[in-house]
Structure formats: structure tokens, C-alpha cells
Amino acid sequence: MPKATRPDLAAMLVPLGRALTEAERPVLDRHGLTMWAYVVLLGLGEQPVYTQAALAKAVRADKTRIIPVLDDLQRRGLIRREPDPADRRVNLVQLTPAGAGLRDRAQHDIQAQEQRLLADLPAEDRRTFLRVLQTLSERSGRPISDT
């Protein structure tokens, strides 16, 4: 069997992901957000209104785990939860203008920090890296097969 010529993808991506998450923490702290609150705010940007269960699925969180996050965001006026007129047992969740603004400011600051990391790469490599990473991220919900 030939010797591997590179580390496995997870061996490269997991430490990078952890480092990026740790670098984001002070930025989120400055904006008064936890990582899960930020994930929820980002998730709500994908679709204007979600049920709580659909939002949990979209952000890959257990639906019971995000309830305290939603409670906090609602208390702070960053999201609105209202009963679904079609099924009063279900809550619909949407961003408020204040929530969208906070999400956008936090994301801007995080991406500015990322630009400093990416600045070490030549421009063409940076564009290719971001394009490939976005493609892989979009496909990450699909099963990985060996065919």
C-alpha cells in the first residue's frame, strides 16, 4: 500500500476550525454573542421565517439545545417568535432588524479578521481556496460515499 502524501482532510480542517472558532470568540464577546447565538442569527439569514424545529435542523443543533439560545435572543429583541397561524403548537422564528444588524456587524468583524489570515496567500490561491471551501461546505450535508 502506498504511503499517504498528505494528511487526511479532517486532520487539516479540524485544527483549523478550532483555531478559527477560538479567534472568533473575542469578536463575538465584543458583540455580546455566544457562538450558538451567532450560529442561530446566521441560520435565520438563510430563510426569513423558520419553525424552531426547522431552524434547529438547518443549524445542525438539537432542537431542545437551541431553546435557551432563542429565549435569550428574543429577550434581547434580536428575534421574534410567534405561534404559527396554521398550527398554534409551532413557533415561527424570524430575525428582527436589530438581530440582522447585530449579525451583520459581527460577521463583518469576523470576516475582516479572516482576511488578515488569508492575506498570507497569493490572491489567486485565496480566491481558489474560498471557492473550493464554499463548494465543499455546501455539499457537507450530503453523505460521503466511496463511489
Side-chain angles (χ1 to χ4, degrees):
M1 180 154 304
K3 182 170 172 38
T5 59
R6 62 165 177 79
D8 299 339
L9 292 176
M12 292 184 285
L13 290 174
V14 169
L16 176 60
R18 286 184 181 140
L20 291 170
T21 298
E22 284 306 308
E24 285 181 8
R25 195 170 316 277
V27 174
L28 294 175
D29 287 347
R30 282 195 306 273
H31 289 280
L33 293 170
T34 64
M35 187 63 69
W36 274 112
Y38 182 59
V39 167
V40 167
L41 293 179
L42 287 174
L44 286 169
E46 297 297 314
Q47 185 172 317
V49 179
Y50 272 104
T51 65
Q52 285 183 193
L55 175 61
K57 184 176 180 180
V59 300
R60 297 181 181 182
D62 180 89
K63 63 183 175 184
T64 60
R65 180 180 183 154
I66 68 166
I67 290 172
V69 175
L70 296 175
D71 290 343
D72 178 61
L73 293 172
Q74 182 176 13
R75 190 170 36 258
R76 295 170 57 195
L78 302 173
I79 65 166
R80 193 170 25 256
R81 284 190 290 188
E82 298 173 349
D84 183 343
D87 183 351
R88 309 272 307 154
R89 298 168 296 170
V90 174
N91 281 320
L92 299 177
V93 184
Q94 65 183 25
L95 275 175
T96 63
L102 179 59
R103 178 209 53 212
D104 294 348
R105 290 188 301 277
Q107 189 172 40
H108 175 271
D109 290 352
I110 286 169
Q111 289 187 3
Q113 181 172 287
E114 291 169 349
Q115 288 304 318
R116 291 189 289 277
L117 170 70
L118 295 171
D120 292 340
L121 298 174
E124 185 60 31
D125 288 352
R126 190 170 46 246
R127 283 190 294 276
T128 300
F129 173 74
L130 291 172
R131 181 179 45 77
V132 169
L133 190 58
Q134 186 162 2
T135 299
L136 290 174
S137 178
E138 289 165 358
R139 294 179 182 174
S140 68
R142 298 184 204 160
I144 299 174
S145 66
D146 56 0
T147 57

